[in-house]
Amino acid sequence: MAPYASDDSTTGGEADERRSGRRKAARYVVPVTVMGVAAATIGLVPALADSGDPDLPKITAQQLIEKIATSDVQQLSGTVKISTDLGLPDLGGLESSLMSGAAGQGEGGSSADPTAKLTELASGTHTLRVAADGPDKQKLSLLENAAEYSLVHNGKDVWGYDSKSNEVYHGTASESPQHEKEQPPATPKDFAEEALKAVDDTTSVTVDGTAQVAGRDAYKLVIKPKQSGSTVGAVSVAVDAETGMPLKFTLTPASGGAAVVDAGFTQVSFAKPAASTFDFTPPKGAKVTEEKDAGKGSDKDFGKGFEKGGPREHAPKSGDDLGKGLDGMKTIGEGWNSIATFDTGGEGMPSGEAGGDLGGFVDSLGDKVTGKFGSGTVFSTRLVNALITDDGKVYVGLVTKDALVKAADAGK
């Protein structure tokens, strides 16, 4: 459950003046790291809908984990409801802009680009329709008011379609032997496997009874940090008693209150979806953007790094101060108290009168802190906290503000 760094990527300039400009921009963009990491927690989402406590045979936590690991559901269709309350500041349109920026949508990008569109799941409540037929056919549709966004993977083709703007984004899946591993997670099982990678000696894992999820009997697996200092209270995964596929995922914060992420199936079927489910032809008059014309953030990289046991491969290239910082990222601590740290090469955040209007705005979003490291600003959500020191160092984790300050002090 270690925190993920933002996947923002930049390129080097051709002159020192341009490089200097990006250095200044980098330190202002750093708060996007908080939102980018928060959005990445959506990558731990399987599913929802609780009613009744079925009488099932007793099972141990280890047996239930093994049941998930050996589950081989290849075909499914259903409806998923996702509610996310990360506690992001109310930034109105600016929040949307930052989230799009965190996803890598650049100028001239398409509204159908999945790397930008799916960041909307980082806040609010959304309804999705999902379908899968093996590793080469998946479909996800985000239902909106009088509109729909669909992401379709069928063989070598990946299509994104935004009905509201009538825009289409077309990419090509990798033809390498790693093709299957590089596809984005298509089932709740994929996401549960990511969450279960957090299970180690710092983790408590128990079976906490049973539940009914989308009309199916399920066991409840509860994962909790043993250590103090984490912002994570507990992760609850409802596992289908018959197939071993996770049907529900709920992440609650240590601070209490509503779940940070509450997501799951309200309806599910394990029958083979119709082949036509994965057919897609651009509607007449739609604007079509090819990935080769869209620059970075293409479908080919979408979901890369979610492969089983594989490293996240979005690390920015060197040549820019922010990129150098992320390339040099390291981890402090272990388990749920892990903190990612890197140096932006910048000068920290604008603050107070010296930062002008931007400084005042930054002060309103974060909390000023001091310690042996000097001073800095902590940007918080209900799950992810980030400390940006005045000399440009960043500390990010699913840990408390005090834990970040302690880590920064230890680095001096």
Side-chain angles (χ1 to χ4, degrees):
M1 202 87 175
Y4 301 136
S6 169
D7 288 340
D8 288 334
S9 178
T10 52
T11 59
E14 299 177 355
D16 290 342
E17 181 177 352
R18 292 179 61 190
R19 188 174 296 112
S20 175
R22 281 189 302 276
R23 183 181 301 116
K24 293 177 181 177
R27 69 175 190 262
Y28 298 148
V29 166
V30 170
V32 174
T33 303
V34 181
M35 296 184 183
V37 176
T41 63
I42 297 302
L44 300 178
V45 176
L48 165 105
D50 235 322
S51 63
D53 296 314
D55 185 15
L56 297 172
K58 297 293 184 182
I59 190 170
T60 67
Q62 182 60 37
Q63 289 172 330
L64 190 52
I65 290 175
E66 291 174 358
K67 192 175 185 70
I68 296 172
T70 57
S71 177
D72 190 32
V73 173
Q74 295 288 319
Q75 300 163 337
L76 66 85
S77 59
T79 303
V80 177
K81 184 177 180 181
I82 298 179
S83 296
T84 310
D85 182 7
L86 292 166
L88 297 175
D90 184 10
L91 303 179
L94 180 58
E95 178 181 340
S96 299
S97 298
L98 288 175
M99 293 303 293
S100 295
Q105 184 183 41
E107 292 183 10
S110 169
S111 67
D113 184 344
T115 58
K117 189 67 178 179
L118 296 185
T119 59
E120 293 181 12
L121 299 180
S123 63
T125 298
H126 304 273
T127 299
L128 308 174
R129 283 202 300 260
V130 298
D133 184 7
D136 293 326
K137 293 184 178 182
Q138 300 103 31
K139 182 176 182 179
L140 180 153
S141 296
L142 173 60
L143 308 183
E144 303 171 315
N145 293 331
E148 181 175 320
Y149 173 79
S150 293
L151 177 62
V152 181
H153 169 217
N154 191 343
K156 295 180 180 180
D157 292 309
V158 180
W159 298 94
Y161 175 58
D162 184 357
S163 68
K164 185 176 182 179
S165 63
N166 199 29
E167 291 193 22
V168 173
Y169 191 89
H170 178 230
T172 304
S174 172
E175 297 180 10
S176 73
Q178 297 297 313
H179 164 68
E180 178 177 340
K181 293 183 179 181
E182 292 179 358
Q183 296 311 306
T187 70
K189 178 185 176 183
D190 298 326
F191 296 117
E193 287 175 341
E194 288 297 312
L196 288 172
K197 288 177 184 178
V199 176
D200 57 18
D201 292 341
T202 69
T203 309
S204 165
V205 185
T206 58
V207 177
D208 186 23
T210 62
Q212 273 262 322
V213 179
R216 297 188 63 87
D217 294 347
Y219 292 101
K220 293 192 294 185
L221 186 70
V222 177
I223 305 167
K224 293 182 178 180
K226 289 182 179 179
Q227 308 157 299
S228 61
S230 174
T231 55
V232 176
V235 172
S236 176
V237 181
V239 182
D240 186 70
E242 179 182 350
T243 67
M245 193 186 87
L247 295 175
K248 175 176 179 175
F249 179 96
T250 304
L251 191 159
T252 54
S255 59
V260 173
V261 178
D262 193 358
F265 286 103
T266 57
Q267 181 276 324
V268 66
S269 169
F270 297 120
K272 179 183 177 71
S276 59
T277 302
F278 310 102
D279 292 340
F280 182 83
T281 301
K284 184 177 181 180
K287 175 187 175 183
V288 179
T289 300
E290 296 288 340
E291 70 173 2
K292 61 183 174 55
D293 300 322
K296 297 184 178 180
S298 67
D299 307 299
K300 191 172 292 186
D301 290 329
F302 183 64
K304 195 171 184 180
F306 281 98
E307 59 268 26
K308 297 176 180 63
R312 299 195 176 272
E313 301 180 16
H314 282 310
K317 305 301 181 184
S318 61
D320 181 87
D321 289 324
L322 183 57
K324 287 179 179 178
L326 292 175
D327 278 342
M329 184 171 62
K330 62 181 181 179
T331 302
I332 301 172
E334 62 177 353
W336 302 82
N337 286 2
S338 297
I339 296 172
T341 180
F342 57 92
D343 192 336
T344 67
E347 302 173 9
M349 299 300 301
S351 179
E353 294 182 3
D357 292 340
L358 181 58
F361 176 67
V362 169
D363 286 345
S364 71
L365 297 180
D367 297 322
K368 295 295 294 183
V369 293
T370 59
K372 295 178 182 177
F373 66 88
S375 61
T377 306
V378 172
F379 298 90
S380 301
T381 72
R382 298 178 66 216
L383 191 65
V384 182
N385 289 324
L387 165 62
I388 298 94
T389 66
D390 287 349
D391 59 358
K393 293 183 176 61
V394 179
Y395 299 83
V396 184
L398 306 178
V399 297
T400 63
K401 178 171 68 175
D402 289 344
L404 293 177
V405 171
K406 184 177 180 180
D409 281 344
K412 298 306 290 183

